[in-house]
Amino acid sequence: MEDIKRYCKNFDILDLKFIENCCLEYLDGKWNRKDVRQTFAEYMNISKDEVLNKTKEDMIGVVPVIALDLRNRILKNNLNLKPIRYFEKIDGMSGKLRVLGIEEPIHQMLNYVCVGAMKPMLKAKIGEFQCSSIPKRGQSYGKKHLDKWKHSIRYFAKGDITKCFPSIPLDKLKALLRRDIKNTKIINLAESLLDMFKQGLSIGSYLSQYLCNYYLSYAYHFACEKLYKIRKTKKQGEKRVRLINHVLFYMDDFLLTGTSKKDLRKAMKMLISYIADFLGLVVKNDWKINKFSDEEPIDMMGFVFRPNKTTIRAKIFIKTRRQFLRAWKEFKTNSCISVKRARMVISAFGWYKHTDSCQVREKLKIDKIVAIAKKTISNYDKGVDTNEVLQYAENEECLLLQFA
């Protein structure tokens, strides 16, 4: 019988300090959200209007009470949560129609508790180049490594799992969790939370993004360890030869690279069969083997990788470019930009910062706009009236910004 290592055996999920820390992790940056304040009003036994006058410090004092309630729910294995509300939304970047799930704050806190308790197992199972939803392992992490690999890439193939989140069979996911985790309370909490989902995993859930990466980690490790052929030689006898050079997963998208077109095709077929047979998921049949070149670049994680440069995907470039043009027009008209617009351009700046976009940055005055945006957000966080006129002066070294 195969000796399987199991995790979280001695983890105490009922530790109040641990649950408090999970609640605080969830609440970071969310203290002023309407649904969060309403939840605190219930625990503080005050009206929804009264809770608006409470400070962050007042609310932090209630976190131990919430943690105790969550502990009791886990202990009794009765979470007593409201049903998840679902709605359809068109993804702003891809244009795809997605069904998102909205969970109440208490539900989301329990997600953080569950993920926090499973962290040792998740850390061990999720692969090094699974680059999505993992802290410090996002798009920029994946891009950095693809930039290193691209000089040795000859052929590549991309696969995309059809409707990955809602297609994941929960019975199979639960079986894998029971296989890898030796802690009844953690398993009971995870299964109770999974039973709340309408179908498969819910897009938008903190728990779902980790469990999706965990579930697909089996495909990742299969690609890393099992994609080989046997070659017979006179001197060494049978010898294993890897079919691929690199593998990278970005949630439900995956990339295989290699030097042989024949070997890469065989590897893709083996991986697709494994994903179908073991995980019960379907890979779209539009994949093909491409020779890496300027004419056939790798489009992955929102970036377009070519042998000598990396640029932004066209759809993303058009949308982010529009934000910078509007921000500059707003600044020239009103001598300031709104907080909402400032946050948009700061968020969009990462695409230009991590790609070969020097000429575009100069043409669109992106660095100047971001400097204005950062100052706007800084003053907003300090409580300064952002409607006051923002004056600026430009010298040879930097953009100087101050309120009049």
Side-chain angles (χ1 to χ4, degrees):
M1 185 176 176
E2 183 184 0
D3 185 19
I4 300 171
K5 183 174 180 179
R6 303 179 75 192
Y7 300 86
C8 311
K9 179 180 178 181
N10 299 316
F11 192 90
D12 184 11
I13 196 174
L14 298 176
D15 179 62
L16 273 174
K17 191 63 181 175
F18 161 71
I19 298 175
E20 283 182 34
N21 289 336
C22 290
C23 292
L24 291 171
E25 184 183 356
Y26 160 73
L27 290 165
D28 185 33
K30 302 182 181 74
W31 295 98
N32 291 321
R33 259 176 40 177
K34 184 179 179 181
D35 58 342
V36 170
R37 292 229 166 220
Q38 288 177 352
T39 299
F40 272 86
E42 295 172 9
Y43 281 93
M44 299 168 82
N45 198 23
I46 59 177
S47 69
K48 295 176 182 178
D49 293 330
E50 290 176 303
V51 78
L52 297 175
N53 298 322
K54 297 297 181 179
T55 64
K56 178 181 174 180
E57 287 69 28
D58 295 331
M59 296 169 71
I60 288 177
V62 185
V63 171
V65 179
I66 297 176
L68 181 60
D69 179 38
L70 296 184
R71 181 184 185 276
N72 291 334
R73 297 187 192 207
I74 297 170
L75 183 62
K76 296 175 182 177
N77 197 24
N78 181 13
L79 302 184
N80 190 27
L81 299 172
K82 295 178 183 178
I84 300 172
R85 293 180 291 111
Y86 292 93
F87 71 98
E88 294 182 343
K89 183 179 180 181
I90 296 176
D91 189 303
M93 289 297 182
S94 66
K96 296 179 181 177
L97 181 66
R98 304 190 187 279
V99 179
L100 304 184
I102 301 296
E103 303 162 344
E104 61 175 331
I106 290 299
H107 192 151
Q108 295 178 57
M109 290 181 199
L110 283 168
N111 285 343
Y112 274 74
V113 172
C114 188
V115 170
M118 293 192 297
K119 275 287 174 68
M121 184 275 292
L122 294 172
K123 185 176 180 181
K125 292 291 182 179
I126 296 175
E128 181 183 2
F129 298 117
Q130 283 185 263
C131 311
S132 178
S133 305
I134 308 298
K136 298 182 180 180
R137 294 241 302 269
Q139 291 161 299
S140 59
Y141 174 87
K143 176 198 170 290
K144 180 180 73 173
H145 288 282
L146 249 180
D147 276 335
K148 290 180 181 178
W149 301 341
K150 69 182 184 180
H151 301 297
S152 61
I153 296 174
R154 188 174 181 185
Y155 295 100
F156 71 92
K158 267 187 63 185
D160 182 10
I161 297 172
T162 304
K163 297 187 180 298
C164 182
F165 271 66
S167 297
I168 290 177
L170 294 186
D171 55 345
K172 179 67 176 179
L173 175 57
K174 290 177 183 179
L176 291 177
L177 288 173
R178 288 192 292 269
R179 172 186 182 271
D180 292 327
I181 297 176
K182 192 176 181 181
N183 189 309
T184 304
K185 289 185 175 64
I186 295 176
I187 291 296
N188 288 341
L189 175 60
E191 291 187 348
S192 296
L193 291 170
L194 287 172
D195 288 338
M196 298 284 293
F197 297 143
K198 182 171 65 175
Q199 180 184 358
L201 296 178
S202 175
I203 298 175
S205 166
Y206 181 74
L207 177 64
S208 289
Q209 64 187 27
Y210 276 92
L211 289 185
C212 183
N213 271 316
Y214 160 70
Y215 195 67
L216 294 182
S217 70
Y218 282 87
Y220 173 85
H221 289 294
F222 178 85
C224 291
E225 300 161 16
K226 303 294 184 181
L227 296 184
Y228 61 85
K229 62 182 179 181
I230 302 297
R231 178 177 293 167
K232 294 183 179 180
T233 61
K234 291 183 179 180
K235 292 183 178 180
Q236 298 177 334
E238 292 187 348
K239 178 183 177 182
R240 285 187 178 186
V241 178
R242 276 175 57 82
L243 298 172
I244 61 171
N245 293 338
H246 302 289
V247 55
L248 186 144
F249 273 62
Y250 182 64
M251 196 55 83
D252 55 353
D253 292 342
F254 59 90
L255 173 76
L256 302 182
T257 74
T259 53
S260 167
K261 196 172 184 178
K262 181 181 177 181
D263 287 350
L264 196 54
R265 180 173 284 105
K266 182 178 180 180
M268 278 293 289
K269 289 180 178 179
M270 289 172 65
L271 181 56
I272 289 170
S273 295
Y274 177 84
I275 290 173
D277 297 340
F278 185 76
L279 298 180
L281 300 173
V282 177
V283 176
K284 293 179 182 177
N285 59 8
D286 59 353
W287 66 272
K288 61 180 181 177
I289 309 297
N290 296 298
K291 187 172 183 179
F292 185 48
S293 64
D294 287 335
E295 291 72 32
E296 292 185 337
I298 298 173
D299 189 331
M300 190 85 174
M301 301 175 293
F303 300 102
V304 179
F305 299 87
R306 292 182 172 84
N308 296 314
K309 64 179 179 179
T310 301
T311 56
I312 308 167
R313 183 181 293 163
K315 285 185 179 180
I316 296 174
F317 174 73
I318 291 170
K319 289 181 180 293
T320 54
R321 174 181 177 274
R322 188 178 297 135
Q323 293 299 336
F324 285 108
L325 291 173
R326 288 174 178 173
W328 184 252
K329 182 178 179 180
E330 188 176 323
F331 177 71
K332 295 297 286 184
T333 303
N334 304 322
S335 297
C336 66
I337 60 176
S338 66
V339 173
K340 182 178 180 181
R341 182 77 64 194
R343 286 182 173 144
M344 286 180 178
V345 298
I346 290 174
S347 176
F349 180 56
W351 294 107
Y352 296 82
K353 181 180 178 182
H354 295 291
T355 54
D356 301 312
S357 306
C358 294
Q359 292 182 350
V360 175
R361 285 170 67 173
E362 184 177 352
K363 183 178 180 180
L364 297 180
K365 302 179 176 63
I366 286 177
D367 293 79
K368 297 178 182 179
I369 295 169
V370 170
I372 297 168
K374 286 181 177 179
K375 188 65 178 178
T376 300
I377 297 298
S378 175
N379 284 316
Y380 175 78
D381 291 340
K382 293 174 184 177
V384 179
D385 185 4
T386 55
N387 289 324
E388 294 183 30
V389 176
L390 188 66
Q391 293 185 339
Y392 73 100
E394 189 175 4
N395 60 24
E396 293 180 354
E397 297 179 357
C398 64
L399 188 69
L400 303 176
L401 300 165
Q402 64 182 18
F403 276 92

